[in-house]
Amino acid sequence: QSSGLIKLILLTGRDCPLCEEAELLLDNLKGEHLSFVKTDVYSKREYLDKYWDKIPVILLEDKELFWPFSIESIQEFIS
């Protein structure tokens, strides 16, 4: 992994308690090497088609990490 910033997308939805949990996990990890953008699953047709029943989902380039995830599994996912 280069020393650049890793930018994740966290796909979420309204009234989604698991999404809030996922956001807390990412908040704990974010720092000089990691940032994330919370994105509503309804914001893009492609997201809706692929992930509406799977949120929260973390996306990194062409990789996806499905719930349930932990700080450890997120670290593994981005390494």
Side-chain angles (χ1 to χ4, degrees), residues 35-74:
S35 73
F36 71 95
V37 179
K38 209 169 115 181
T39 304
D40 193 292
V41 72
Y42 285 95
S43 67
K44 234 178 161 176
R45 185 72 217 209
E46 175 197 349
Y47 293 159
L48 191 58
D49 290 348
K50 272 175 93 170
Y51 304 115
W52 70 273
D53 57 344
K54 297 183 178 73
I55 56 170
V57 180
I58 296 175
L59 303 177
L60 174 61
E61 288 151 14
D62 54 357
K63 299 193 300 182
E64 50 204 10
L65 182 64
F66 295 104
W67 187 262
F69 39 76
S70 62
I71 283 187
E72 292 76 23
S73 61
I74 295 168

Side-chain angles (χ1 to χ4, degrees), residues 1-17:
Q1 187 72 45
S2 70
S3 60
L5 185 66
I6 297 167
K7 294 186 178 149
L8 301 177
I9 295 173
L10 173 63
L11 285 184
T12 64
R14 285 180 286 280
D15 302 319
C16 170

Side-chain angles (χ1 to χ4, degrees), residues 22-40:
E23 190 178 353
L24 286 174
L25 286 177
L26 285 173
D27 273 336
N28 286 324
L29 278 172
K30 100 181 161 196
E32 54 197 88
H33 296 305
L34 178 72
S35 73
F36 71 95
V37 179
K38 209 169 115 181
T39 304
D40 193 292

